[in-house]
Amino acid sequence: MAGSNALLEIKGLHAGIDGNQILKGIDLEIGPGEIHAIMGRNGSGKTTTANVIMGHPEFEVEKGEVILDGEDLLEMEAWERARAGVFLSFQYPQAVPGLQVGNFLRKSVSSIRGEEAAKGSIFREDLSKAMESLDVPRSFLARYVNDGFSGGEKKRFEILQLMLLKPKLAVLDETDSGLDIDGIRTVSEGINAAIRDSDSGALIITHYSRILEHINPDKVHVLMDGIIVSSGGPELATKLEEQGYEWLQQE
Amino acid sequence: MDAASEYRSLGEPDRSSHLWRYTPWRRVHPTGKIDEIPLFDGPSLKLMSIESEGTPEGVRLVKGASIPSGLPKNDELTSNFLIAASTESQYTLEVDSGFSSENPVILEIDVGENPSVLHLGIEVESRVNIEIVTRIVGASDWFGFMRSGLIGNGSIVNDIVINLANRGTVLRSDLISVGRDAHLRAGTISSGSEKTKADLRFRMGERGGNLRVLGSVMSAEKMHLDHHIEIQHDAPETFSRLSWHSACGGESRTIGTGMLRVAEGSRGADAAQIFHNLLLSPNAEADSIPELEVMENEVVGCGHGTANGPIDEDQLFYLESRGYDSSEAKRALIAAFLNSTLSEMGSETMHNWLVGMLTEELEGLYQKT
Ligand SMILES: Nc1ncnc2c1ncn2[C@@H]1O[C@H](COP(=O)(O)OP(=O)(O)OP(=O)(O)O)[C@@H](O)[C@H]1O
Ligand SMILES: [Mg+2]
């Protein structure tokens, strides 16, 4: 079995909140350099999957395994997972008024990639490159984290962090929602640059095939009521967008 | 009648009155025997500037303090008591007309080990541009601090009072009047003293006055910090904002009460007040009560609000997902919460200086929450 080479292995994952089961047995395997997509209706459990991978303390895992590069993520706190190489681009990134973007970025780079990477010139260079490629103006550094950012600016800022933090696994929760067409292209380039030709992998949660046209995922999975009901190639995304989810439900 | 007799004629204030509901006078009076008006020494004062030795020309501290007319309506008890107690300790901070500097001025008040009192007059003339930090340090049982004065027409003043006294009681009273087209930002940073009772009052008696009152307050252990802020709009086209942030840990208690008065005739007045409390422990308590008294119909807006709550779990998760460990994330959120008012208090130079000075102080307090 290829299991041992997998970057991320999720087996029989059951999780919920306050006794309500939301994830009812997820199985998923992502190899190094691979990008997978998850699609599914509102409320099917996509964000919950992302939160459980990242380690949101609100959710209880009843059964199953989540293994990153041989390490058991479920044993770790969220910040330990972040340091182990998990990154989540949030569907709704939190504003933190009073915390300056520049300080926040430096601190997260130093926590995750080590103090060396957060040092003066190296950090500044990385940052300038990433900001330039995402069209994020320098004035953002003095602003507060996500405070007063437009929907699209929040999403770009998530990808900026992805580029600086260089995770092993990037989970992107509807990063394309709220971005304009140029934004989707820019962000897709950022994702491709961070994952393709590397040992990292990505899981992209989306409702639309547009971002997938730029990214060309290795696999597309459909989540329904907490279970992956179908997996296929990029053509599955197009079919879902055209025909909806009805046909799957009948199968 | 002199201040002492006036004070004695008032008697003990009723706890049912808004001002004394949370912190009875007996508890902040220096001896607890409310008929007494002890004559304390003055603290030691030092005027300097952030970036250089000595003080710039045009700013000086002189002996004596007066109570000019046009000040906000005072709380008779606190004012008369502080005036009577400070007859031996009065100074005035004078800033000459047209003075302008980007280099902030620091007034350091060292209250030492013994009880002390100070009445500081403030005379900022017209078209002044200045940042002043008043820093209270020391370890005495009691410090009474009254400020009264005027911000001259067209002046732009950032005035920040930092209470770092590490024990005892601080009783503060501010009576400040903002002149025509003058801009005053009045910041209070408080992380010290076991007990604080502060009564801060501002009046805009002329057109175009612009006032921002900001608070960054942190409490821990059994600290009790009570701030009352009163803003009076007495002229058309006047603007005020009050934002008060308190982070309360341990078994501490913070109180913030606001009174916004818009007098008849203050057409086009624009005012808002907001109190935010961050509760860091289940045993901490925070009360805030904003009140409005608006006698003019044609106002731009008069709003108020309060928000209370523990550290936000989603913000915590966001920072942890970016590699902050749990306690780093908590500290960062507390610092951010206090910083959102702190950063509004002055220039960038000032802000950097404040952050540098307060980081350690905050860390010390955090350990006690
Ligand atoms: N914190 C929570 N408390 C209670 N129920 C929750 C919570 N988070 C998710 N749920 C429930 O779990 C189910 C799955 O939600 P989830 O957010 O994972 O959906 P989603 O697939 O991401 O949907 P969308 O496409 O709308 O983003 C929903 O029924 C939701 O109401
Ligand atoms: Mg979702």
Side-chain angles (χ1 to χ4, degrees):
Chain A
M1 229 342 252
S4 53
N5 322 332
L7 173 72
L8 175 74
E9 257 183 292
I10 301 181
K11 284 193 211 154
L13 182 63
H14 289 70
I17 193 164
D18 301 333
N20 293 326
Q21 200 174 61
I22 303 171
L23 304 184
K24 301 170 181 167
I26 304 239
D27 292 293
L28 184 68
E29 212 175 284
I30 300 180
E34 287 183 2
I35 300 182
H36 290 211
I38 289 192
M39 301 181 81
R41 284 188 173 136
N42 295 136
S44 54
K46 302 181 299 297
T47 296
T48 304
T49 306
N51 276 328
V52 169
I53 295 173
M54 191 72 245
H56 197 302
E58 238 181 17
F59 296 91
E60 302 128 31
V61 174
E62 298 142 32
K63 270 200 283 201
E65 288 178 32
V66 181
I67 313 272
L68 180 77
D69 237 359
E71 285 187 277
D72 182 358
L73 290 185
L74 297 181
E75 290 291 302
M76 303 180 194
E77 303 275 338
W79 58 272
E80 294 171 311
R81 300 182 197 201
R83 292 181 190 186
V86 183
F87 177 83
L88 171 58
S89 166
F90 285 76
Q91 183 174 6
Y92 304 110
Q94 282 295 315
V96 187
L99 178 58
Q100 262 184 351
V101 165
N103 296 337
F104 166 70
L105 292 177
R106 192 184 287 276
K107 168 71 189 151
S108 22
V109 167
S110 111
S111 311
I112 290 175
R113 291 179 52 215
E115 276 174 33
E116 209 48 43
K119 273 207 179 131
S121 61
I122 304 172
F123 175 72
R124 272 198 299 275
E125 207 170 295
D126 269 9
L127 183 60
S128 299
K129 253 199 254 164
M131 290 181 87
E132 214 169 290
S133 69
L134 291 169
D135 286 330
V136 174
R138 291 207 66 85
S139 58
F140 268 61
L141 294 176
R143 291 179 64 179
Y144 295 145
V145 171
N146 291 316
D147 191 29
F149 288 20
S150 73
E153 287 169 343
K154 284 184 187 168
K155 299 304 173 80
R156 280 170 202 251
F157 184 54
E158 294 292 284
I159 299 306
L160 177 72
Q161 297 174 56
L162 166 70
M163 292 174 80
L164 291 175
L165 297 174
K166 308 191 195 302
K168 282 189 199 160
L169 173 73
V171 180
L172 310 183
D173 192 358
E174 297 199 25
T175 301
D176 53 340
S177 305
L179 280 174
D180 56 30
I181 296 169
D182 290 342
I184 289 180
R185 189 179 337 105
T186 316
V187 159
S188 305
E189 281 163 9
I191 296 167
N192 280 325
I195 308 296
R196 295 295 185 193
D197 301 322
S198 79
D199 294 333
S200 301
L203 183 61
I204 295 184
I205 296 169
T206 182
H207 288 291
Y208 310 103
S209 61
R210 189 185 292 278
I211 188 169
L212 302 180
E213 282 161 23
H214 292 282
I215 285 178
N216 197 29
D218 298 276
K219 272 197 180 144
V220 175
H221 309 278
V222 183
L223 193 62
M224 220 176 243
D225 197 19
I227 274 201
I228 291 180
V229 293
S230 175
S231 299
E235 71 289 344
L236 182 55
T238 325
K239 184 167 179 193
L240 287 170
E241 202 167 50
E242 281 164 6
Q243 303 183 13
Y245 294 90
E246 282 296 312
W247 60 277
L248 268 170
Q249 209 152 24
Q250 269 135 40
E251 275 180 16
Chain B
M1 228 185 335
D2 67 352
S5 335
E6 231 170 283
Y7 165 74
R8 290 205 175 88
S9 75
L10 292 167
E12 187 163 11
D14 194 334
R15 277 196 81 164
S16 68
S17 98
H18 170 80
L19 262 183
W20 300 101
R21 195 177 304 155
Y22 298 99
T23 314
W25 174 235
R26 202 172 278 279
R27 286 186 61 197
V28 287
H29 184 281
T31 62
K33 299 185 186 106
I34 64 155
D35 287 336
E36 289 182 355
I37 305 179
L39 268 186
F40 293 135
D41 286 343
S44 72
L45 302 185
K46 207 160 104 192
L47 194 62
M48 46 198 174
S49 56
I50 286 188
E51 277 155 10
S52 50
E53 284 291 305
T55 42
E57 209 172 302
V59 181
R60 74 194 77 77
L61 207 53
V62 298
K63 279 213 147 209
S66 62
I67 307 271
S69 62
L71 291 183
K73 183 182 156 316
N74 66 1
D75 165 48
E76 291 181 333
L77 186 96
T78 315
S79 309
N80 283 307
F81 181 81
L82 285 173
I83 290 168
S86 65
T87 45
E88 304 292 318
S89 173
Q90 301 179 343
Y91 286 86
T92 294
L93 181 72
E94 295 180 350
V95 185
D96 290 345
S97 172
F99 174 87
S100 176
S101 169
E102 312 220 311
N103 187 0
V105 170
I106 305 174
L107 173 63
E108 174 124 334
I109 301 179
D110 188 344
V111 299
E113 312 260 299
N114 301 315
S116 63
V117 65
L118 173 68
H119 178 188
L120 183 72
I122 294 178
E123 282 178 23
V124 174
E125 294 186 346
S126 56
R127 290 171 292 99
V128 164
N129 196 332
I130 193 173
E131 292 193 281
I132 309 166
V133 190
T134 302
R135 182 162 67 171
I136 304 165
V137 298
S140 82
D141 283 338
W142 196 89
F143 177 51
F145 186 29
M146 159 134 189
R147 303 195 308 163
S148 59
L150 309 171
I151 306 298
N153 295 348
S155 287
I156 300 173
V157 177
N158 297 338
D159 160 49
I160 301 173
V161 177
I162 311 175
N163 179 8
L164 297 173
N166 44 35
R167 50 185 299 275
T169 298
V170 170
L171 174 66
R172 257 185 85 188
S173 163
D174 269 8
L175 294 172
I176 294 178
S177 170
V178 180
R180 185 181 176 113
D181 296 322
H183 288 228
L184 172 66
R185 293 193 208 206
T188 287
I189 301 169
S190 169
S191 62
S193 75
E194 286 151 19
K195 210 181 294 161
T196 294
K197 165 85 183 167
D199 185 309
L200 314 177
R201 302 191 182 202
F202 306 87
R203 171 169 183 263
M204 286 172 289
E206 290 182 76
R207 189 183 286 271
N210 184 305
L211 170 70
R212 298 194 57 136
V213 182
L214 299 147
S216 293
V217 175
M218 174 141 179
S219 61
E221 297 182 308
K222 288 181 186 290
M223 287 162 69
H224 178 106
L225 309 179
D226 181 341
H227 292 87
H228 174 73
I229 300 104
E230 206 157 313
I231 297 172
Q232 232 172 296
H233 287 250
D234 277 344
E237 316 294 335
T238 43
F239 174 96
S240 74
R241 290 289 180 269
L242 163 64
S243 345
W244 204 263
H245 281 198
S246 308
C248 329
E251 294 166 57
S252 67
R253 179 142 196 230
T254 67
I255 298 115
T257 51
M259 173 52 96
L260 181 59
R261 295 182 207 275
V262 178
E264 196 181 342
S266 309
R267 281 176 307 281
D270 184 350
Q273 46 175 331
I274 179 130
F275 290 90
H276 267 246
N277 300 310
L278 187 62
L279 292 163
L280 306 175
S281 106
N283 300 322
E285 197 182 329
D287 295 285
S288 34
I289 305 178
E291 286 187 277
L292 296 176
E293 198 181 279
V294 181
M295 311 304 282
E296 170 59 48
N297 291 325
E298 288 175 47
V299 293
V300 173
C302 287
H304 64 156
T306 66
N308 258 8
I311 289 186
D312 185 282
E313 292 292 331
D314 290 318
Q315 286 184 335
L316 260 185
F317 180 56
Y318 190 69
L319 294 193
E320 290 184 18
S321 79
R322 299 309 186 240
Y324 287 67
D325 74 28
S326 312
S327 97
E328 288 169 341
K330 258 187 211 142
R331 283 165 216 231
L333 290 175
I334 298 168
F337 173 76
L338 295 173
N339 188 44
S340 29
T341 37
L342 189 73
S343 64
E344 297 288 309
M345 291 181 191
S347 65
E348 207 179 320
T349 315
M350 171 72 92
H351 182 236
N352 292 337
W353 184 80
L354 289 173
V355 168
M357 183 183 57
L358 292 168
T359 305
E360 221 173 282
E361 183 73 21
L362 263 183
E363 186 54 33
L365 266 184
Y366 179 82
Q367 305 288 350
K368 300 175 189 164
T369 59

